[in-house]
Amino acid sequence: LLLGLLISIGAVYLTFSNALFFSFAVGHPWILFFGWIGTIFWANSAGHSSSGTMALTSFYASTFLGGMFMAPVILRVASFDNGFTIITLALTTTTVTFLGLTAYVFVSRRNFSFMRGFLITGLLAVIGASLLNLLFPSGAFSFGISLAAALLFSGFILYDTSQVLQRAASIPPTLAALRFYLDFINLF
């Protein structure tokens, strides 16, 4: 997970500092988005069936494209008067929430598999609401989606940590890292 986050941070930096990467990220966000989604599916598939090298390669490719995809948004927020404070607070809050929820699952040893249906339904609802918000923009609706997404991905942290603890022998390490990476990034 940590190496994946560092690769994403490196991709953000590379996108900021390289005009070619930056112009691609800003000019073609949908290509980058669907490329990132494709590498997530590739990493998931490779984690189940491929060699460790292919699984790691696909995981690193996914985290790199994720960093490139997030770079224009991070740059936009950084351009605000208090942008770096916002980014630092968001990163700190995400880290504390992630570590706190993960520690809770480790200490309590609770099985959160009962949340699966709720989380999948919630994910589909957040995606649908986000698409609606693209068509009919609303600040209040956007805030509601953000709040729902924060709660949803906090739930995914509980669920995924529980699954990794309960089924450690059957979940490849790259898949566990991919799950935790996506939970962290989506909460951020």
Side-chain angles (χ1 to χ4, degrees):
L1 170 66
L2 183 59
L3 187 54
L5 291 172
L6 291 174
I7 289 171
S8 287
I9 291 168
V12 168
Y13 176 76
L14 181 64
T15 304
F16 285 165
S17 61
N18 184 302
L20 180 65
F21 279 89
F22 185 75
S23 64
F24 182 79
V26 171
H28 305 287
W30 289 107
I31 292 172
L32 197 54
F33 175 72
F34 287 114
W36 182 32
I37 297 298
T39 60
I40 290 170
F41 282 111
W42 176 37
N44 190 43
S45 174
H48 282 294
S49 61
S50 296
S51 70
T53 304
M54 184 59 73
L56 282 173
T57 301
S58 61
F59 173 69
Y60 296 149
S62 178
T63 59
F64 183 82
L65 284 180
M68 275 189 71
F69 179 72
M70 290 181 293
V73 176
I74 292 171
L75 182 63
R76 174 80 171 117
V77 172
S79 71
F80 298 158
D81 288 337
N82 58 347
F84 287 106
T85 303
I86 293 170
I87 293 168
T88 303
L89 286 173
L91 186 59
T92 303
T93 303
T94 301
T95 303
V96 168
T97 302
F98 184 87
L99 292 175
L101 291 173
T102 301
Y104 175 74
V105 174
F106 269 92
V107 171
S108 72
R109 297 284 185 191
R110 286 193 56 196
N111 184 352
F112 288 94
S113 61
F114 68 90
M115 295 175 67
R116 183 172 190 233
F118 168 76
L119 293 171
I120 297 300
T121 303
L123 180 61
L124 293 173
V126 165
I127 290 170
S130 297
L131 291 173
L132 273 175
N133 199 42
L134 283 175
L135 297 173
F136 309 105
S138 164
F141 192 48
S142 181
F143 178 74
I145 293 169
S146 297
L147 183 61
L151 293 172
L152 178 70
F153 286 103
S154 294
F156 268 111
I157 292 168
L158 293 170
Y159 173 78
D160 288 337
T161 305
S162 170
Q163 289 298 296
V164 168
L165 281 177
Q166 303 291 324
R167 301 176 24 212
S170 65
I171 298 178
T174 53
L175 284 182
L178 180 65
R179 287 180 178 186
F180 293 140
Y181 170 80
L182 291 172
D183 294 342
F184 188 91
I185 290 300
N186 284 307
L187 186 58
F188 176 69

